[in-house]
């Protein structure tokens, strides 16, 4: 369950379809400053990432930090991504039309930060990284002539 302040924040953002720097500061300093993060809160923030196209780069930094801190260090078992946490993360990060670039980065960083990680999340993080590499254009090829 999410708090009243976060619900109002989501309504405000969805009405404007923008998350600017000031919104991120309010989220960090006023709404979630002394709140214990939960899966519900992370779910809502990840959903905002999918729903709002016009976002401050600060939002990505804050969401990434919240997700890694909560998943790896704040929820039990500490430092480990067990099967339950991995299933929740994969479901949350891949919802809708699939993971956003930020959701892909979150999965990768959670795997990197965790002391141990269920293979489901590792596979998800690596599969998405492989997809990005396969889609990337080959415009980086340089031919040198002598």
């Amino acid at each position: 369950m999410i708090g009243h302040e976060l619900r109002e924040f989501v309504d405000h953002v969805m009405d404007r379809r923008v998350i600017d720097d000031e919104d991120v500061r309010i989220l960090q300093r006023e709404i979630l400053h002394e709140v214990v993060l939960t899966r519900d809160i992370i779910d809502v923030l990840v959903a905002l990432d999918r729903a709002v196209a016009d976002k401050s780069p600060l939002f990505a930094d804050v969401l990434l930090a919240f997700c890694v801190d909560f998943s790896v260090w704040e929820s039990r078992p500490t430092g480990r991504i067990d099967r339950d946490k991995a299933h929740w993360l994969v479901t949350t990060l891949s919802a809708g039309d699939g993971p956003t670039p930020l959701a892909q980065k979150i999965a990768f960083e959670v795997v990197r930060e965790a002391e141990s990680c269920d293979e489901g999340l590792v596979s998800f993080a690596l599969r998405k990284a492989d997809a990005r590499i396969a889609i990337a254009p080959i415009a980086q090829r340089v031919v040198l002539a002598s």
Side-chain angles (χ1 to χ4, degrees):
M1 189 162 131
I2 64 172
H4 178 71
E5 293 85 8
L6 182 56
R7 190 171 294 116
E8 285 183 351
F9 175 81
V10 169
D11 290 343
H12 170 72
V13 165
M14 292 306 295
D15 286 345
R16 293 178 29 236
R17 297 280 188 200
V18 172
I19 301 175
D20 59 24
D21 289 350
E22 184 60 26
D23 292 327
V24 176
R25 282 192 274 286
I26 289 169
L27 182 67
Q28 257 188 308
R29 296 179 186 161
E30 297 176 21
I31 299 172
L32 298 178
H33 176 65
E34 294 184 6
V35 171
V36 176
L37 293 175
T38 64
R39 286 183 178 188
D40 290 340
I41 292 171
I42 299 298
D43 288 343
V44 166
L45 296 176
V46 171
L48 277 179
D49 176 49
R50 276 192 305 275
V52 178
D54 188 5
K55 297 178 293 277
S56 162
L58 292 176
F59 181 72
D61 296 340
V62 168
L63 180 55
L64 177 65
F66 281 158
C67 289
V68 171
D69 288 346
F70 173 75
S71 302
V72 178
W73 302 116
E74 293 180 21
S75 63
R76 303 290 179 245
T78 304
R80 292 183 33 222
I81 304 298
D82 60 13
R83 181 172 291 157
D84 178 57
K85 260 196 263 186
H87 176 72
W88 163 69
L89 279 165
V90 168
T91 302
T92 294
L93 296 174
S94 64
D97 293 332
T100 64
L102 177 56
Q104 292 172 344
K105 185 174 182 179
I106 289 168
F108 183 81
E109 291 300 321
V110 167
V111 169
R112 192 176 68 76
E113 183 77 16
E115 294 170 4
S116 68
C117 190
D118 180 78
E119 64 188 37
L121 184 61
V122 173
S123 175
F124 175 80
L126 294 178
R127 184 174 59 242
K128 295 306 173 187
D130 286 345
R132 282 184 305 199
I133 292 168
I135 294 171
I138 307 179
Q140 300 296 329
R141 185 176 292 175
V142 176
V143 179
L144 300 176
S146 53

